[in-house]
Amino acid sequence: MKLRAVPIVVAAVLAALLMFGGWFIYRQVTMQSPLEKLVSQYPGVTSAQIDIKQDQVVLKLDLKPQADVAGLVDVVKQKGQSIIGSRTIKLDIADRSNSALNQWWSEAMFPVAEAMENKKYTQISSTVEQMKKKKTGIKADTDMDSNNVYIRLSEGNATKFIVLPRQSQQMGVWPNA
């Protein structure tokens, strides 16, 4: 019996396409689309892209100034638990800040970092309140959950969302600060 190379190669390519195509469709329909819909429908979310990796879910977000990031993360954890499983959630929020907000944050960063390092989270709220009194026109608020501290700075249409992980070994340099 003589084996022909062309039919064997064609059959192998078709089998690979069916397997990987099936996995891609399954992942898109049962995981990515429902999570994207959940995040996109949350108040204050302008646009969202979801990237589901083996150990984490990356949420690339464009948010309105009034968006509640802590609330969004809570909703995603609760309603998306069947999709997320044991993966961690990583937020990648579009930066819509201006020079005044960046300057404000650079002045507040060291007291906030000290409070984070010493696990004295109430000092973060105190620092933010003191800084708000110094700079008129800038609105700032804080929130916290079991994993992160959330700081929102806004001035007019400019907004800066800062998400600080509470675990010091993960902190390192704040990628979104």
Side-chain angles (χ1 to χ4, degrees):
M1 179 165 118
K2 184 177 177 182
L3 296 176
R4 295 183 353 203
V6 173
I8 292 173
V9 170
V10 169
V13 168
L14 285 175
L17 284 174
L18 285 174
M19 283 194 319
F20 291 115
W23 168 247
F24 176 77
I25 291 170
Y26 167 79
R27 184 176 157 163
Q28 186 69 24
V29 170
T30 63
M31 296 173 78
Q32 199 152 345
S33 289
L35 196 57
E36 226 168 80
K37 184 178 179 183
L38 174 71
V39 172
S40 295
Q41 290 178 345
Y42 190 81
V45 175
T46 304
S47 68
Q49 290 181 326
I50 312 296
D51 185 15
I52 301 173
K53 298 181 179 178
Q54 188 171 355
D55 59 341
Q56 71 179 357
V57 175
V58 179
L59 304 176
K60 294 181 181 180
L61 304 170
D62 189 7
L63 302 175
K64 294 178 183 174
Q66 71 275 14
D68 176 18
V69 179
L72 172 63
V73 170
D74 187 47
V75 166
V76 168
K77 283 182 179 178
Q78 288 180 4
K79 293 186 178 178
Q81 180 58 39
S82 62
I83 298 168
I84 295 171
S86 63
R87 295 177 183 95
T88 59
I89 297 174
K90 180 183 177 204
L91 300 173
D92 183 6
I93 302 172
D95 187 17
R96 303 273 183 242
S97 63
N98 60 20
S99 60
L101 294 178
N102 290 332
Q103 177 64 33
W104 191 99
W105 175 241
S106 69
E107 292 174 20
M109 190 180 325
F110 290 109
V112 169
E114 182 179 24
M116 293 288 293
E117 188 64 31
N118 295 325
K119 297 185 189 303
K120 295 185 178 181
Y121 302 111
T122 55
Q123 288 180 354
I124 296 170
S125 296
S126 306
T127 299
V128 168
E129 288 302 317
Q130 289 172 3
M131 293 291 295
K132 277 183 5 183
K133 291 175 185 173
K134 289 180 184 178
K135 304 269 185 173
T136 57
I138 294 181
K139 297 177 185 172
D141 55 50
T142 59
D143 205 349
M144 185 172 76
D145 64 16
S146 59
N147 296 321
N148 298 308
V149 173
Y150 306 93
I151 301 172
R152 177 181 48 201
L153 308 174
S154 60
E155 179 187 51
N157 290 333
T159 307
K160 184 173 190 74
F161 293 96
I162 302 152
V163 181
L164 307 172
R166 288 181 55 189
Q167 290 75 25
S168 61
Q169 68 269 16
Q170 292 178 351
M171 213 157 84
V173 175
W174 295 330
N176 61 351

